[in-house]
Amino acid sequence: MKQPPPVLLPLLRSPFQGELLAWLFLHPGEEYSQIELATRFKVSPSTVTREIDRLAAAGLVGTRKVGNMRMVSADTNVVVARPLTELLALTYGPVAVLGEQLSGIAGIEEACIYGSWAARYSGEPGRVPNDVDVLVVGTADEDELYDAARAAERQLGREVNIRRLSREDWDSPEGDPFLETVKARPLVRLTIDKGEDQ
């Protein structure tokens, strides 16, 4: 069954195409195997192969063989690389950027994007949001979260708001209108690398 175009950037054919392009163009100079990309985005290797074939034919990504693996990277020399990177940062960038910015900060048990950006990402119609709201569960240092938000803003070109909650508050939202609303609306979970010492 054919998917409708993504709400965040209806110019693209699918949400996966947006996620893949954002990951590659927001990590310029990095190279990934197709298997690694399939694992990251939880899609089949054949889905990645089809998408990479299309993007390579359009000149947006470069590929090379290393043994039996096909390595993929963004082609940052193509004339549309800079405006495409900016557009992807504004639309699909939050997932590609925020997980990395939060990785390594001690005390983060889980993190997710909520609010209007999460709603658009999940397919709810509406305008592209001006900011990104992030909820962090745990005991992370507020100054470190603030620094991560500012670094993400520089990459994404938009305001990033991070709110920290305790595990107890997150698990028992009853009586808190804010948390009840957040939990009733779309959430986009972020993949956080907690490091070896957390």
Side-chain angles (χ1 to χ4, degrees):
M1 182 170 71
K2 188 174 178 181
Q3 289 183 317
V7 173
L8 278 173
L9 189 56
L11 303 170
L12 299 176
R13 192 177 58 262
S14 69
F16 170 62
Q17 185 183 43
E19 292 168 359
L20 177 62
L21 281 167
W23 183 260
L24 294 172
F25 277 88
L26 293 173
H27 296 90
E30 297 293 325
E31 202 173 38
Y32 304 92
S33 73
Q34 288 191 181
I35 295 298
E36 187 178 359
L37 292 170
T39 301
R40 168 167 289 283
F41 296 110
K42 297 176 178 64
V43 297
S44 71
S46 61
T47 298
V48 173
T49 298
R50 281 192 303 274
E51 198 58 56
I52 294 302
D53 287 346
R54 288 183 190 109
L55 296 174
L60 295 176
V61 301
T63 64
R64 70 183 182 100
K65 291 289 265 181
V66 176
N68 64 354
M69 291 190 306
R70 185 179 185 199
M71 304 301 291
V72 183
S73 61
D75 185 346
T76 56
N77 294 318
V78 67
V79 70
V80 297
R82 188 177 56 78
L84 180 60
T85 301
E86 291 173 5
L87 187 59
L88 291 166
L90 289 169
T91 54
Y92 282 92
V95 170
V97 168
L98 285 163
E100 282 190 323
Q101 289 296 337
L102 295 172
S103 289
I105 297 178
I108 296 179
E109 296 177 30
E110 63 179 289
C112 59
I113 302 172
Y114 67 96
S116 56
W117 189 89
R120 297 300 89 71
Y121 184 87
S122 300
E124 290 186 12
R127 298 175 65 96
V128 175
N130 292 325
D131 63 357
V132 179
D133 297 311
V134 181
L135 193 80
V136 170
V137 177
T139 60
D141 181 78
E142 292 278 5
D143 290 336
E144 288 187 71
L145 294 177
Y146 177 86
D147 291 344
R150 301 301 73 81
E153 285 178 350
R154 288 189 292 277
Q155 284 184 276
L156 299 173
R158 65 170 60 184
E159 184 179 346
V160 174
N161 306 299
I162 298 180
R163 182 171 179 161
R164 185 189 70 187
L165 292 173
S166 69
R167 167 57 64 191
E168 181 182 359
D169 288 342
W170 181 242
D171 288 344
S172 302
E174 297 79 16
D176 184 328
F178 167 74
L179 284 180
E180 288 177 349
T181 300
V182 166
K183 285 200 161 192
R185 305 278 298 133
L187 296 172
V188 178
R189 304 242 178 249
L190 296 172
T191 302
I192 308 293
D193 179 7
K194 297 182 181 180
E196 296 177 8
D197 57 344
Q198 295 187 50

